[in-house]
């Protein structure tokens, strides 16, 4: 049983990581959900083997299941669930504003990209200057 | 929601079960100390009752059933829960420490109550208030959007007809 | 004593509940200010008590330590908590004074108080899983605060912020699960003892995993990229309190967990290399920017490097320097962001190429900025100087020549980029043309715009819109706190030194928690 759970955790982490690396927002959100599930199962597994419920009336606690990881997993589930709902709301808002599900590049990326195109543009201009001569080019620009 | 959009069967059913569900939520709240249940579950069930009302009759209906600001419920729940945590200081205990009271009530007989109940009531109020707040803030928006879309479609239909 | 330690968590929570229930904005403001003031008072009193009698542990719910959750007030936690709450209070007053922002939306005050409670809980908790919950409480509030208003730039950067932090939290849950599997406890003091029996390789990997997790929250070197992109888009008060507090909570958790849980396998070299890279990359990023808020955001990253540097030395002097540096950074960084907000309120922009001559039109902002900037750069009579002096001395004493040299070099660059803001915004000619309405699609415009500050100032070219007096006073109060840190450098450094000693020695902490 533990082995099956371990494999499940591994698969969930792998799928989650893969989805997280996508550009589409919905996939990122799903990836986070997968990672969250993986983490919760891992938390559950950290208490050791399953056993009878740890109640006093059941007699001595030998072999009983560890209740603490279950409580922790429950808390983690609630927190992840809440933030996931907020993230979905944010994704909806973003879709309403941009009609696009793609995650935009961040500011520095866009700046660097613009610098690169500017540079390429300059190089093109240089080549054009040598080929066509300066006057022709000035005309083009105006 | 316009009257002609409402479903008679759904309306009647919801009316029949609404109060039963609220009662169930109270039972869950009170039985939570030693049995499955508690403030969180109870609050969710109570919230679900209002969600049913919303499905049947829209945000107006919910507002008619709970004619107050849902934030009031939410806020007082947080305050109550936090105060029970502090209240144990008055009894000389640690933060959030709880005691038990054994009462002998005339009709119900022996009742074993715990001061965690006050905390649970706080949680109950928070969860129920949260669901109501969600219905108010998200439900209204969804409804107006739906109506706007329907009107746009209707407008496009009549515009294309001649 | 047992009453004072939980109060900084409980009071803001009660205040948050009241604020949700209250409809009137004026009442919300009164409740919020009262709650934070009360929390500050309680934290101050607790600090005074702990200073005299040693660490205090409170068993929540009456369940003793290894079983139940404990709140621990020791010198490190309470010193940083007091500084943080003073900063929180100043920013709250500033937000009340700032008009035309999301403060009036009815959601700001409850969220702000929940954030405060989360910060206090993160400092005070003595339980790993409870630390996760406290950080989540703090972050959930911050998610909403950073996107409050729902503008396009906010949603875009808020998304990055939420995704990164959710990822970090998931890793944190994973590490906590692994620590529980290895030791069978999540109580920090208990885990500290039991981790000694865990095989070296397992312990080291757990330590490094925790470092990565909290490294994302603290924005240390390879994990800082989300910070300069998401902070500047929020309303000023929110950016300021995030800048001052949230990353420092990350630093505090790194110091706490590495010091308490993993004292034997000090990942010293790794931490020192990361510290150096964090400093250098942050300051170079700042130099490349041309917007006040973005420059300051990159400086957050750079300064985090100094704190990690102090930790990486793992000597009492180094840790004391790091703790003093955190205590100095929280108010200074926040004050600088608040000045940035004042400039933005007056002119409608924080882009340097549209500002100039503010020393004549807004002398108060100029003076406050000067004090904050000199302190940040670490010039002699100010608090930053003592922080850096302590760190450099510790570095020389530990014979960590390279990192000490790097830190001095970065100091000069910090001064340079502060000069850039000074020359660009405060000196020079007043810009004749009125600030153009920012283009939303444009990169700089997207950053510079916040809320109602978008329109050009009225009353002709060069004229400023009035800066509300409350904003100026709140900022002045915070700058006053930084000056106090400078004047009282000796006692505060001694406190830091004792806190560092407690942290490295561990016995006082362990005794307080386990033998209450």
């Amino acid at each position: 049983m533990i082995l099956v759970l371990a494999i499940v955790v591994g698969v969930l982490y792998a799928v989650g990581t893969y989805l997280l690396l996508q550009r589409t927002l919905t996939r990122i959100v799903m990836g986070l959900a997968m990672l969250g599930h993986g983490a919760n199962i891992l938390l559950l597994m950290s208490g050791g083997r399953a056993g009878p419920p740890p109640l006093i009336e059941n007699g001595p606690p030998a072999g009983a299941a560890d209740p603490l990881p279950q409580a922790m997993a429950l808390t983690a589930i609630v927190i992840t669930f809440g933030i996931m709902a907020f993230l979905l709301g944010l994704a909806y808002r973003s879709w309403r504003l941009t009609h696009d599900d793609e995650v935009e590049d961040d500011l520095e990326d866009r700046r660097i990209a613009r610098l690169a195109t500017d540079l390429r543009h300059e190089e093109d201009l240089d080549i054009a200057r040598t080929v066509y001569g300066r006057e022709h080019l000035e005309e083009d620009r105006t | 929601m316009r009257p002609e959009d409402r479903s008679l069967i759904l309306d009647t059913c919801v009316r029949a079960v609404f109060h039963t569900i609220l009662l169930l939520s109270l039972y869950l709240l009170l039985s939570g100390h030693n049995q499955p249940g508690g403030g969180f579950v109870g609050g969710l069930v109570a919230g679900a009752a209002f969600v049913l009302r919303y499905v049947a009759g829209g945000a107006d209906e919910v507002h008619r059933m709970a004619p107050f600001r849902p934030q009031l419920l939410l806020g007082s729940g947080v305050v109550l829960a936090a105060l029970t945590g502090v209240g144990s200081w008055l009894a000389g205990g640690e933060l959030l420490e709880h005691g038990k009271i054994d009462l002998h009530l005339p009709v119900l007989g022996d009742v074993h109550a715990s001061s965690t109940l006050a905390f649970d009531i706080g949680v109950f109020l928070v969860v129920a208030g949260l669901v109501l707040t969600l219905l108010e803030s998200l439900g209204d928006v969804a409804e107006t959007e739906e109506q706007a879309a329907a009107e746009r479609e209707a407008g496009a239909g009549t515009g294309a007809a001649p | 004593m047992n009453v004072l330690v939980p109060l900084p968590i409980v009071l803001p929570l009660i205040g948050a509940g009241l604020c949700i229930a209250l409809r009137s904005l004026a009442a919300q403001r009164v409740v919020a200010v009262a709650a934070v003031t009360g929390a500050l008072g309680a934290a101050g009193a607790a600090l005074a008590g702990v200073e005299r009698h040693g660490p205090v542990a409170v068993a929540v719910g009456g369940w003793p330590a290894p079983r139940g959750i404990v709140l621990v007030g020791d010198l490190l936690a309470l010193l940083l908590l007091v500084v943080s709450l003073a900063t929180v209070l100043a920013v709250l007053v500033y937000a009340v004074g700032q008009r035309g922002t999301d403060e009036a939306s009815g959601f700001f005050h409850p969220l702000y108080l929940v954030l405060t409670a989360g910060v206090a809980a993160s400092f005070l908790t003595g339980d790993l899983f409870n630390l996760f919950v406290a950080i989540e409480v703090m972050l959930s509030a911050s998610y909403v605060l950073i996107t409050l208003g729902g503008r396009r730039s906010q949603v875009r950067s808020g998304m990055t912020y939420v995704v990164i932090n959710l990822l970090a939290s998931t890793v944190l849950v994973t590490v906590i699960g692994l620590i529980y599997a290895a030791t069978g406890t999540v109580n920090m003091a208990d885990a500290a003892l039991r981790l000694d029996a865990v095989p070296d390789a397992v312990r080291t990997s757990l330590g490094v995993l925790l470092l990565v997790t909290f490294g994302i929250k603290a924005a240390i070197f390879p994990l800082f990229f989300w910070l300069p992109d998401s902070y500047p888009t929020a309303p000023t008060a929110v950016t300021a309190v995030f800048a001052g507090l949230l990353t420092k909570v990350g630093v505090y958790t790194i110091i706490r967990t590495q010091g308490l849980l993993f004292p034997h396998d000090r990942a010293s070299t790794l931490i020192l290399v990361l510290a150096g890279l964090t400093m250098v990359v942050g300051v170079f990023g700042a130099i490349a920017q041309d917007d006040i808020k973005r420059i300051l955001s990159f400086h957050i990253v750079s300064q985090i490097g100094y704190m990690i540097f102090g930790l990486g030395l793992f000597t009492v002097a180094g840790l004391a320097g790091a703790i003093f540096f955190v205590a100095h950074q929280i108010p200074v960084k926040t004050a600088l962001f608040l000045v940035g907000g004042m400039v933005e309120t007056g002119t409608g922009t924080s882009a340097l190429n549209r500002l100039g001559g503010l020393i004549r039109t807004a002398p108060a902002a100029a003076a406050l900025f000067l004090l904050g900037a000199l302190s940040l750069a670490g010039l002699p009579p100010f608090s930053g100087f003592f922080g850096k002096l302590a760190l450099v001395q510790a570095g020389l004493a530990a014979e960590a020549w390279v990192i000490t040299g790097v830190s001095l070099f970065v100091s000069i660059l910090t001064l340079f980029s502060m000069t850039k803001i000074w020359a660009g915004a405060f000196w020079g000619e007043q810009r004749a043309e009125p600030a153009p309405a920012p283009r939303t699609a444009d990169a700089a415009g997207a950053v510079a715009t916040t809320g109602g500050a978008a329109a050009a100032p009225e009353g002709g070219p060069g004229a400023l819109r009035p800066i509300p007096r409350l904003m100026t006073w709140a900022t002045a109060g915070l700058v006053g706190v930084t000056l106090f840190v400078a004047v009282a450098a000796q006692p505060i450094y001694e406190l830091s030194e004792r806190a560092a000693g407690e942290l490295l020695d561990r016995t006082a902490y362990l005794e307080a928690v386990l033998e209450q």
Side-chain angles (χ1 to χ4, degrees):
Chain A
M1 195 57 201
I2 285 273
L3 183 66
V4 175
L5 279 182
I7 292 171
V8 169
V9 170
V11 169
L12 281 174
Y13 270 83
V15 172
T17 312
Y18 174 75
L19 284 174
L20 202 60
L21 297 174
Q22 305 293 305
R23 294 236 36 175
T24 331
L25 198 58
T26 32
R27 293 190 184 188
I28 293 179
V29 174
M30 281 194 284
L32 281 171
M34 293 292 149
L35 276 180
H37 293 323
N40 288 330
I41 295 181
L42 185 112
L43 209 52
L44 211 55
M45 280 171 64
S46 68
R49 290 179 180 283
L55 298 175
I56 296 175
E57 58 202 51
N58 288 4
D66 188 349
L68 192 58
Q70 301 178 13
M72 292 197 289
L74 194 62
T75 315
I77 288 172
V78 172
I79 290 173
T80 322
F81 163 74
I83 294 170
M84 203 62 75
F86 178 75
L87 198 56
L88 283 172
L90 214 55
Y92 178 65
R93 174 86 195 165
S94 153
W95 184 79
R96 290 273 309 270
L97 286 171
T98 60
H99 282 277
D100 197 357
D101 195 27
E102 199 117 302
V103 177
E104 291 176 58
D105 287 333
D106 66 12
L107 204 55
E108 286 317 301
D109 278 359
R110 273 184 283 162
R111 272 193 187 157
I112 291 166
R114 208 166 46 194
L115 271 183
T117 49
D118 283 356
L119 277 180
R120 222 175 300 139
H121 189 59
E122 286 292 317
E123 278 167 17
D124 289 351
L125 280 180
D126 281 345
I127 298 168
R129 273 191 204 111
T130 50
V131 176
Y132 296 113
R134 188 166 296 268
E135 308 78 28
H136 187 73
L137 203 75
E138 292 304 317
E139 240 168 61
D140 259 14
R141 284 179 106 181
T142 51
Chain B
M1 193 181 263
R2 290 170 303 184
E4 59 264 33
D5 289 345
R6 297 175 67 147
S7 148
L8 182 65
I9 299 176
L10 188 61
D11 247 359
T12 320
C13 290
V14 166
R15 250 171 239 191
V17 296
F18 178 70
H19 298 96
T20 321
I21 299 180
L22 282 188
L23 211 58
L24 173 70
S25 79
L26 282 182
Y27 168 76
L28 284 173
L29 167 67
L30 294 175
S31 75
H33 187 51
N34 276 335
Q35 279 165 359
F40 189 79
V41 181
L44 273 185
V45 171
F50 284 101
V51 171
L52 271 180
R53 277 284 180 177
Y54 172 76
V55 171
D60 292 340
E61 174 109 352
V62 174
H63 194 71
R64 213 152 39 83
M65 298 315 298
F68 46 81
R69 288 172 67 240
Q71 285 93 329
L72 208 62
L73 220 57
L74 186 57
S76 52
V78 174
V79 173
L80 182 62
L83 282 182
T84 37
V86 181
S88 55
W89 285 338
L90 298 179
E94 291 278 12
L95 178 78
L96 279 170
E97 194 168 341
H98 289 285
K100 62 180 196 299
I101 318 150
D102 285 305
L103 293 175
H104 188 76
L105 294 180
V107 186
L108 300 169
D110 286 327
V111 174
H112 171 78
S114 155
S115 63
T116 42
L117 185 61
F119 188 83
D120 257 354
I121 293 174
V123 175
F124 180 92
L125 291 178
V126 169
V127 176
L130 189 69
V131 174
L132 282 174
T133 315
L134 279 180
L135 286 180
E136 190 193 67
S137 50
L138 295 183
D140 269 349
V141 175
E143 232 168 74
T144 42
E145 264 174 26
E146 227 166 68
Q147 271 173 13
E151 273 161 26
R152 261 203 309 279
E153 263 173 37
T158 51
Chain C
M1 273 320 293
N2 288 356
V3 177
L4 284 176
V5 172
L7 266 186
I9 307 170
V10 176
L11 279 180
L13 270 185
I14 295 178
L18 284 176
C19 277
I20 301 173
L22 291 169
R23 194 202 292 262
S24 133
L25 186 61
Q28 282 195 351
R29 288 172 175 171
V30 171
V31 169
V33 171
V36 176
T37 314
L40 177 60
L47 177 63
V50 166
E51 197 266 319
R52 246 171 276 130
H53 309 294
V56 181
V58 174
V60 177
W63 300 96
R67 307 279 167 275
I69 295 169
V70 281
L71 299 177
V72 189
D74 65 347
L75 275 178
L76 170 64
L78 285 171
L79 179 66
L80 295 185
L81 184 61
V82 167
V83 178
S84 303
L85 286 174
T87 309
V88 162
L89 184 62
V91 176
L92 182 63
V93 175
Y94 181 93
V96 169
Q98 192 177 26
R99 279 187 292 271
T101 58
D102 304 307
E103 187 259 337
S105 71
F107 295 108
F108 178 85
H109 290 290
L111 287 167
Y112 192 80
L113 287 174
V114 171
L115 181 86
T116 311
V119 169
S122 312
F123 279 131
L124 290 176
T125 185
D127 182 284
L128 270 178
F129 193 78
N130 203 34
L131 176 65
F132 161 71
V133 174
I135 288 179
E136 285 312 299
V137 167
M138 174 182 94
L139 287 177
S140 312
S142 80
Y143 296 154
V144 190
L145 279 174
I146 207 169
T147 51
L148 203 61
R151 286 175 291 277
R152 190 180 158 185
S153 58
Q154 282 186 316
V155 171
R156 186 186 61 75
S157 56
M159 199 79 78
T160 321
Y161 179 73
V162 177
V163 169
I164 289 291
N165 276 300
L166 191 51
L167 180 65
S169 301
T170 312
V171 182
L172 180 55
V173 174
T174 310
V175 184
I176 290 174
L178 294 175
I179 289 181
Y180 187 79
T183 64
T185 181
V186 283
N187 182 293
M188 285 199 232
D190 202 20
L193 293 179
R194 295 200 197 180
L195 271 171
D196 292 346
V198 168
D200 277 350
V202 177
R203 193 173 55 218
T204 309
S205 38
L206 288 178
V208 172
L209 266 174
L210 262 189
L211 182 65
V212 170
T213 314
F214 293 134
I216 298 179
K217 314 247 183 224
I220 63 175
F221 165 60
L223 310 165
F224 68 91
F225 45 84
W226 55 272
L227 188 145
D229 215 39
S230 53
Y231 277 13
T233 53
T236 310
V238 173
T239 311
V241 82
F242 283 17
L245 289 185
L246 299 198
T247 46
K248 310 311 180 280
V249 171
V251 173
Y252 165 79
T253 48
I254 291 180
I255 293 180
R256 171 67 79 203
T257 51
Q258 296 297 323
L260 189 63
L261 299 182
F262 307 101
H264 299 307
D265 19 54
R266 299 162 179 176
S268 178
T269 320
L270 174 69
I271 294 179
L272 284 181
V273 170
L274 289 180
L277 287 170
T278 311
M279 283 184 221
V280 172
V281 171
V283 85
F284 277 138
I287 286 174
Q289 299 299 318
D290 51 10
D291 182 281
I292 296 181
K293 280 177 159 187
R294 283 186 70 86
I295 294 179
L296 292 175
S297 293
F298 271 100
H299 272 300
I300 300 176
V301 177
S302 172
Q303 309 294 333
I304 295 290
Y306 283 93
M307 303 164 194
I308 303 297
F309 160 39
L311 170 71
L313 295 174
F314 273 107
T315 58
V316 172
L319 269 173
I323 295 166
F324 184 89
F325 201 79
V326 178
H328 130 83
Q329 266 297 302
I330 292 174
V332 166
K333 182 60 75 185
T334 313
L336 283 174
F337 268 97
L338 293 185
V339 175
M342 285 168 66
V343 168
E344 203 173 74
T345 307
T347 62
T349 180
S350 60
L352 284 181
N353 56 10
R354 301 207 203 109
L355 292 169
L358 282 173
I359 195 162
R360 281 184 294 280
T361 46
L368 292 174
F369 179 83
L370 188 65
L371 291 174
L374 292 180
S375 180
L376 187 76
L379 258 67
F382 297 103
S383 55
F385 170 72
F386 298 107
K388 285 183 181 168
L389 181 69
L391 283 174
V392 167
Q393 277 183 341
L396 293 179
E399 299 182 347
W401 311 116
V402 179
I403 186 77
T404 312
V406 169
S407 78
L408 289 172
F409 174 63
V410 169
S411 273
I412 298 171
L413 293 182
T414 309
L415 186 61
F416 168 71
S417 74
M418 284 296 132
T419 324
K420 188 173 160 183
I421 298 185
W422 179 253
F426 295 100
W427 267 356
E429 289 304 306
Q430 280 167 268
R431 301 287 153 138
E433 80 273 27
R439 297 153 288 169
T440 41
D442 177 64
V447 171
T449 321
T450 53
E458 294 157 18
L464 296 187
R465 265 170 308 184
I467 299 168
R469 205 167 291 158
L470 205 51
M471 285 169 73
T472 313
W473 281 115
T475 316
L478 204 51
V479 171
V481 173
T482 74
L483 293 181
F484 173 76
V485 173
V487 171
Q490 182 67 27
I492 293 180
Y493 181 75
E494 275 165 13
L495 268 187
S496 312
E497 209 167 19
R498 280 175 53 193
E502 269 181 19
L503 196 67
L504 284 185
D505 186 31
R506 301 204 297 174
T507 43
Y509 185 95
L510 296 182
E511 270 173 21
V513 174
L514 294 175
E515 293 167 22
Q516 47 182 322

